[in-house]
Amino acid sequence: MTIGDYSIQIKPPSAFSYDRTVDYLSRSDKECMFLVEDRMVTRLITTSSGPVLIRLSSLVDGGINLEFPSRAADDSDLTEDIRTEAAAYVRDWFDLDRDLAPFFELAEQDDLLRECASRFYGLRLVGIDDLFEAMCWGIMGQQINLPFAYTLKRRFVEEYGAYQDYEGKRYFTFPTPDTIARLSLEDLTPMQLTTRKAEYLIGTAKEMVEGRLSKEQLLALGDLAKIEKALTSIRGIGPWTANYVLMRCLRVPAAFPIADVGLHNALKLLLDRADKPSIAEIKELSAGWGDWKAYATFYLWRLLY
């Protein structure tokens, strides 16, 4: 990592493609947590010093250029701590510190994964740093299609998230548990959230505010089964949502949202069949994926857009 006056050059591992990552980030024009424009990615992140706007672009050598567009080069508030936190955020967002060689070796030997692993080589499992955001996204996405889930998320974020305006655009951070815990069902249901989902969102926020749930507490459990059990003990969090959180936020590569509709559709496409495979069939098909089921799922999802 090279730190300049107000930019940072991040050197990723060899198995990383900025372009394939941006293709993934561009999958929906309803995304509200960041903006992809001219192959640059701009988002508002939370640091220990408060919200900071960052912008990512590609370097000629395949690296990532990280800038702070709303701040001047001589901005005394742009401390080394902020720069370091921002770089760490990007490395975690794109899972840059994970050795993917074992996954690609596994995929090369797997009839289902071989083609997509080769086609999207360099794509890493794009994460969701904030536990509350990951859980809310999982709750909102239950039993609805992806475009409507994005619509619900945008309404939620624009109503209750903090924001910063820059060059005529508004950038948001995800609503905090403190904000959502104070709401009533009547605050959320006009957004077309069901009463039950509104209950789940507020209940999850209260679990976090009251100290019963945190990312650190879950990671300290150190075992996928224990974390899944802790998550599913929360009202509204079933195995699918728990494994989604394990996969996207807690970064457990063995997590497997086996009931995921997108996974089923991708397998249906790959197998060239009229019906979706059963759970029993998926267990058999995935038997060789070992502790890389999260990455296998992420690459299979990529076939759908």
Side-chain angles (χ1 to χ4, degrees):
M1 179 176 73
T2 304
I3 299 180
D5 286 339
Y6 83 122
S7 66
I8 301 170
Q9 286 74 51
I10 299 173
K11 184 173 178 57
S14 57
F16 171 76
S17 168
Y18 179 85
D19 283 336
R20 285 175 180 148
T21 301
V22 170
D23 288 343
Y24 170 78
L25 294 175
S26 304
R27 69 196 184 282
S28 173
D29 59 6
K30 295 180 180 293
E31 178 59 62
C32 60
M33 297 306 299
F34 51 82
L35 174 69
V36 180
E37 195 171 57
D38 298 327
R39 308 300 286 176
M40 295 186 293
V41 184
T42 308
R43 79 174 300 167
L44 190 63
I45 67 170
T46 301
T47 72
S48 59
S49 301
V52 173
L53 196 68
I54 64 171
R55 177 168 290 162
L56 309 180
S57 56
S58 179
L59 295 168
V60 174
D61 64 359
I64 302 169
N65 190 53
L66 163 59
E67 295 180 285
F68 303 87
S70 63
R71 303 192 179 215
D74 61 352
D75 190 340
S76 61
D77 289 338
L78 188 56
T79 64
E80 186 172 344
D81 285 347
I82 290 175
R83 295 177 176 133
T84 301
E85 284 183 55
Y89 182 95
V90 174
R91 296 197 72 89
D92 179 70
W93 190 15
F94 298 154
D95 205 24
L96 296 181
D97 295 323
R98 191 178 305 280
D99 179 12
L100 289 190
F103 168 69
F104 289 117
E105 290 170 7
L106 178 154
E108 179 62 29
Q109 304 303 316
D110 188 279
D111 291 340
L112 284 175
L113 299 180
R114 186 180 303 111
E115 189 273 336
C116 65
S118 174
R119 181 176 168 188
F120 304 118
Y121 183 85
L123 174 65
R124 285 171 175 260
L125 205 164
V126 177
I128 300 173
D129 174 71
D130 181 61
L131 176 65
F132 186 57
E133 179 183 347
M135 294 184 72
C136 289
W137 183 226
I139 290 167
M140 289 179 190
Q142 292 170 5
Q143 299 179 326
I144 59 173
N145 62 48
L146 195 58
F148 187 50
Y150 271 111
T151 297
L152 291 178
K153 183 179 179 181
R154 177 177 286 276
R155 292 170 182 168
F156 187 73
V157 168
E158 290 181 349
E159 184 67 26
Y160 297 110
Y163 64 85
Q164 184 178 119
D165 291 326
Y166 179 69
E167 292 186 339
K169 294 182 173 62
R170 181 161 289 182
Y171 299 91
F172 290 88
T173 57
F174 199 78
T176 65
D178 284 342
T179 298
I180 304 307
R182 293 193 295 264
L183 300 181
S184 67
L185 299 181
E186 291 73 22
D187 292 316
L188 294 179
T189 50
M191 297 180 182
Q192 289 187 280
L193 283 160
T194 64
T195 299
R196 186 158 292 179
K197 285 185 180 180
E199 289 173 350
Y200 297 162
L201 293 171
I202 294 170
T204 299
K206 288 180 177 178
E207 289 286 323
M208 299 187 78
V209 169
E210 294 168 8
R212 293 186 294 274
L213 173 67
S214 72
K215 190 173 181 178
E216 293 73 22
Q217 288 170 346
L218 292 172
L219 289 172
L221 295 174
D223 176 80
L224 186 154
K226 290 179 181 178
I227 299 172
E228 183 177 358
K229 182 178 179 180
L231 285 168
T232 54
S233 70
I234 299 166
R235 187 165 178 261
I237 307 298
W240 176 84
T241 305
N243 275 273
Y244 182 84
V245 171
L246 278 156
M247 173 182 174
R248 296 294 301 278
C249 180
L250 303 179
R251 300 299 200 166
V252 178
F256 193 30
I258 194 169
D260 183 76
V261 173
L263 173 65
H264 298 181
N265 285 332
L267 290 171
K268 174 185 171 183
L269 177 68
L270 270 178
L271 296 168
D272 192 25
R273 50 190 279 181
D275 60 328
K276 296 176 186 178
S278 67
I279 295 296
E281 288 176 297
I282 296 172
K283 287 181 179 178
E284 184 176 346
L285 292 167
S286 62
W289 297 351
D291 289 338
W292 290 100
K293 292 183 177 69
Y295 258 91
T297 300
F298 195 69
Y299 266 72
L300 290 169
W301 280 346
R302 186 62 185 85
L303 294 170
L304 299 176
Y305 53 87

